[in-house]
Amino acid sequence: MTDALLQVDDLRVTFAVGGREVRAVDGITFTVSPGATLAIIGESGSGKTVSCRAIMGLLPTGTAIGGSARLRGTELLGLSDAELRRHRGSDLAMVFQDPARSLNPTMRVGLQITEAITTHRTASKREAQAQAIELLRLVRIPAAERRFHEYPHQLSGGMRQRVMIAMALACRPKLLIADEATTALDVTTQAQIMELLLELQEELDMALIMISHDLGLAASYADEVIVMYAGKIVEQAPAAGLFGAGGAVRMRYTRALLDAIPHLERPAHTLLPVVGGRPPDPTALPPGCSFAPRCQYAEDDCRAKVPALAEHVPGHRWACWHPCENGAAPHD
Amino acid sequence: MTDQAGPGRPPGEVLLSVRDLVQEFIVRERGGGKAGVVQAVSGVSFDVMAGETLGIVGETGSGKSTLARAILQAPRPKSGSVVFRGTELTNLRGGRLLQARRHLQFVFQDPFGSLDPKWKVRSIVDEPLLAYRAGGREARRKRVSELLDLVGLDPARYAGRHPRELSGGQAQRVAIARAVALEPSLIICDEAVSSLDVLIQAQVLNLFEKLRGELGLSYLFIAHDLALVKQVSDRVAVMYLGKLCEVGHGEAVYRRPLHPYTKALLDSIPSTEPGAGRATATIKGEPPSPINPPSGCRFRTRCPLATDLCAAEEPLPRELAPGHVVACHFPLMPGTSVITPAATSGVRQA
Amino acid sequence: MAAPLPDVTLLGALPPLPSLVNARRLRAQRLGRGLRLWVPAGILILMLAMCFVLPLVASLPSPTKGDIIVNNEPPFSPGHWLGTDMQGVDIFSKLVYGGQVAFEIGAAVTAIGVAIGGTLGIVAGYFGGWVDAVISRVLDILIAFPALVLALVIAQGLGGSEIHVIWALSVFGIPAVGRVTRGATLTIRGLPFMVAAKLSGTRGWRIIARHVVPNIIPTIVTFSLLGVGIVIILEGALDFLGYGIPPPTASWGNMISNGQQILSAQPEYVLIPSIALLVTVASLNMLGDALRERWSTQ
């Protein structure tokens, strides 16, 4: 763990909304190794996006952030804006969900990429432009020289996301965070963008954190998966062998999530095994396991004490008092 | 009804019959000049049987939402025929259209957008009852409570709320209660669960299944997610750039896709199943603009099997297996090598 | 697990998350929002009470006839706390009755604007097509009409009176409200719940009454408040030019116009009605803004 690229320890993020405290991220710990792909999955409000924005220093002023996030030993939390800007781009970069709104509609895409280059390092205009075209080629945009002079509205959604990736890669970051980067795209385009990301990751020896609500995406592309619920990590394991029939999923919430996805192997018109209710109100979390109120296997201890996230099997952590038996969970 | 009818039509009563449906929009330039015509739906034909769920899968720009609206006559399609329960909808107006559409309801994607923010849940569910004069005030009030119960919302807690006081899943339940209020025979669901979180989505999907059983409903279930569509549908139609390219039983379309596009779509879906393997981008590029769609087969610009024939001649729907119709000159027959392996090279294996 | 570091606050926010702020700031914001609404509302209530209630409960001196013996009294004189003018007319009375005229005309013109312009705007926005084209052209012609010149013509031809001023200014009010209403209706018309209402079987006029109107009322109310302010200023300008309310009827515009002749000797003749005009119009604008802010965050 000493050679970790990113080491996050007990990260906490708290907002105050209407005078009540919202614990958006409630003490999460994880590491990312150089060149690895980590998927953080969870539903809306699980804290997956907020935790990554905290690491990037992208949360609004007035947000209380605790814990530690070290990038190759350098503490990121509490850095000044200027110091953060030095890290963003060159060490850390982020790609967002909505490529249409992340690009400035009144600026040619080439200029936007050139700007991303020159804000991080001094380069002559000509150099920066040449690099921008190089970046467009890197993200496999055909006719890069022509695209350089086009406006965002002239590009398709997939092309815009490629431009966003090109901008994120302008300074060859060591860690790229993709926040639902393919959610707005069609499935065929999504596959293209994911393949591109993995290829670039290999080429540039870059680590990738993909934030997603899509378990299939995580299973298909990540090395390791973190599942978040109500601000906490509830399970973390290598992606291979975690999912599917006979998978190693232990935490009841992960199991429920997995069972609730319609997938092609399931016969039509069968009812999906679902859990009722909704995620807990983040201003009034239950005293025990956050998932206990919705969990059909919950017992008194689940409602009384929070289960700790412990490494029960090498490489596999989960937080559950009554975990699923290995692969024994019903799965039609 | 014409004889080029229902691709793979199972026996039973035809509930909805769509023939050669065409819908176009004029795109205007800034100044108001005509910039082009979006051929959103270009000659789509299919049938929905009583009690059946037909799923329509398509990506952004495939015209699937336009198709839904055109069937509902909102707005009216440019040409073609929509026969619902024996009545042609496309030439009806005013009150007669309203009466004909009474048993044809809808659930749209955006649960909040389709509920008037100024109205309470009670009035929203009551709206169709009031519009079709389904009973007096007291009877309707009782019916609204029943409907909320049916979709799993406690009337005492939710009837008095405004949409902004609901979660996404609850808002979609209200929209479903409104859709089933008049005991329709067909509900058109346009991406009805796409904006919901996985667990809530599963709850709403199960609600659709429950209502299907209890009320004998048929659905036209439109979505971009093939796995989702297959889950709820008896038959699945795949739509690409305004045309249907393949129709068949869900299981058959999934196990033995005949159209290269269907195959590519299936390959792109990331799955949690260990046997499924890594999702791969087997087709390159993105769909062309529906303003100037390619000649011949509309998929040919991205199809690895395309030849000159595909550009010259539009493939007509052919029934290659019982109930399995494909519009392709070179359908993928079982055992055929499908797609160039080069497409997947260079991808790191997990 | 490492010991948690002391809590820190990070600066800088690029793509904003849903507005999340700390409690103290939230309370301060809420207070500020309350003040922005209730201060202008309170001032307007006071102004209205002064103009319409005070004359009923207190016996004010006549706003038109004065005692020439007590002319040009300075403010805070006994019996005339804002003083008297050259004819010895009580200035406070003139302010009160002039205020009545201002509010009446402002309200009447806006009411006519909302009734006629609002209806036209909804019809044009909802039905679209040739209906929209015809109505929009009519509104365009009206809005292109110089209201002040029209008022001048009306005053010349028919003689100045409150009613004539109202008609003249309505030529400006109707298309202004009409345009805004049409825009708001167009926005609403495209929303999915309108399609849903139509598909639920609700018919045209009922959709307008139950879906369109409730959803555009906030827009119309905020715009009307701004409109009342603009109309009061226009009315003042007409009076000032001598084509509005004919003297000796008290009006703020007349007061400013008359006072102007002795501006250097007695600036309060101009200052007092000007301040009343300024406070009224500013309060109307601020109230409109505060309401819009409140409704848009709901």
Side-chain angles (χ1 to χ4, degrees), chain A residues 15-18 53 59 65 67 78, chain C residues 5 7-8 10 12 15 17 20-21 26:
Chain A
F15 305 112
V17 173
R53 289 200 174 194
L59 291 178
I65 302 174
Chain C
L5 290 179
D7 283 0
V8 286
L10 290 189
L17 284 165
L20 297 158
V21 283
L26 200 79

Side-chain angles (χ1 to χ4, degrees), chain A residues 61-82:
Chain A
T61 346
T63 313
I65 302 174
S68 143
R70 281 188 296 269
L71 188 79
R72 286 191 292 200
T74 312
E75 179 61 54
L76 294 172
L77 302 186
L79 288 186
S80 75
D81 228 16

Side-chain angles (χ1 to χ4, degrees), chain C residues 6-254:
Chain C
D7 283 0
V8 286
T9 298
L10 290 189
L11 292 167
L14 267 171
L17 284 165
S19 152
L20 297 158
V21 283
N22 70 34
R24 195 184 309 152
R25 182 185 301 216
L26 200 79
R27 273 196 296 277
Q29 244 177 29
R30 212 177 269 170
L31 183 72
R33 255 220 216 155
L35 287 180
R36 281 205 292 283
L37 178 71
W38 288 110
V39 167
I43 291 173
L44 284 173
I45 290 169
L46 281 178
M47 296 289 291
L48 285 169
M50 183 188 91
C51 295
F52 292 96
V53 182
L54 194 65
L56 302 177
V57 295
S59 58
L60 296 176
S62 160
T64 48
K65 292 196 201 85
D67 190 345
I68 198 76
I69 294 167
V70 289
N71 76 338
N72 288 346
E73 292 272 326
F76 307 112
S77 316
H80 305 285
W81 77 277
L82 287 181
T84 57
D85 68 3
M86 283 167 291
Q87 282 80 41
V89 183
D90 182 72
I91 290 183
F92 183 67
S93 284
K94 285 181 80 165
L95 194 70
V96 166
Y97 287 98
Q100 284 190 3
V101 171
F103 281 116
E104 279 167 14
I105 293 180
V109 170
T110 308
I112 291 172
V114 169
I116 300 177
T119 309
L120 288 174
I122 288 176
V123 169
Y126 183 76
F127 292 103
W130 67 267
V131 178
D132 182 25
V134 170
I135 292 176
S136 290
R137 288 303 83 74
V138 170
L139 295 180
D140 283 347
I141 290 166
L142 285 180
I143 217 160
F145 231 95
L148 281 176
V149 174
L150 183 78
L152 203 139
V153 171
I154 289 177
Q156 292 278 8
L158 305 172
S161 83
E162 203 171 315
I163 285 294
H164 293 154
V165 172
I166 289 173
W167 284 127
L169 291 181
S170 290
V171 172
F172 153 82
I174 291 171
V177 180
R179 282 275 192 90
V180 169
T181 314
R182 174 180 171 269
T185 309
L186 274 179
T187 311
I188 297 287
R189 190 179 73 159
L191 297 179
F193 70 79
M194 291 290 289
V195 182
K198 216 179 271 181
L199 291 175
S200 291
T202 306
R203 314 247 186 150
W205 289 104
R206 206 178 144 74
I207 290 183
I208 288 177
R210 302 269 337 261
H211 289 287
V212 178
V213 172
N215 279 291
I216 62 171
I217 276 180
T219 312
I220 293 187
V221 169
T222 49
F223 184 74
S224 297
L225 287 170
L226 303 180
V228 171
I230 295 169
V231 168
I232 288 178
I233 288 182
L234 285 177
E235 188 270 325
L238 281 180
D239 293 348
F240 182 85
L241 294 172
Y243 293 103
I245 311 293
T249 309
S251 86
W252 292 349
N254 285 341

Side-chain angles (χ1 to χ4, degrees), chain A residues 248-299:
Chain A
V249 167
R250 304 303 296 271
M251 170 63 194
R252 298 283 177 189
Y253 170 69
T254 318
R255 184 82 250 166
L257 215 50
L258 197 55
D259 290 343
I261 310 172
H263 57 78
L264 290 161
E265 296 293 336
R266 198 192 294 274
H269 297 311
T270 49
L271 287 186
L272 295 157
V274 295
V275 292
R278 286 197 279 155
D281 179 356
T283 64
L285 293 175
C289 170
S290 309
F291 188 59
R294 304 172 75 186
C295 180
Q296 55 172 319
Y297 302 97
E299 291 173 26

Side-chain angles (χ1 to χ4, degrees), chain A residues 35-106:
Chain A
T37 305
L38 172 71
I40 302 181
I41 54 180
E43 298 176 278
S44 9
S46 60
K48 56 188 194 302
T49 294
V50 175
S51 46
C52 285
R53 289 200 174 194
I55 294 165
M56 286 293 289
L58 291 177
L59 291 178
T61 346
T63 313
I65 302 174
S68 143
R70 281 188 296 269
L71 188 79
R72 286 191 292 200
T74 312
E75 179 61 54
L76 294 172
L77 302 186
L79 288 186
S80 75
D81 228 16
E83 291 170 310
L84 257 176
R85 212 169 307 142
R86 221 176 39 234
H87 285 290
R88 275 189 219 140
S90 58
D91 289 331
L92 284 166
M94 199 158 175
V95 184
F96 297 95
Q97 172 172 353
D98 192 343
R101 269 186 286 179
S102 307
L103 285 167
N104 181 345
T106 62

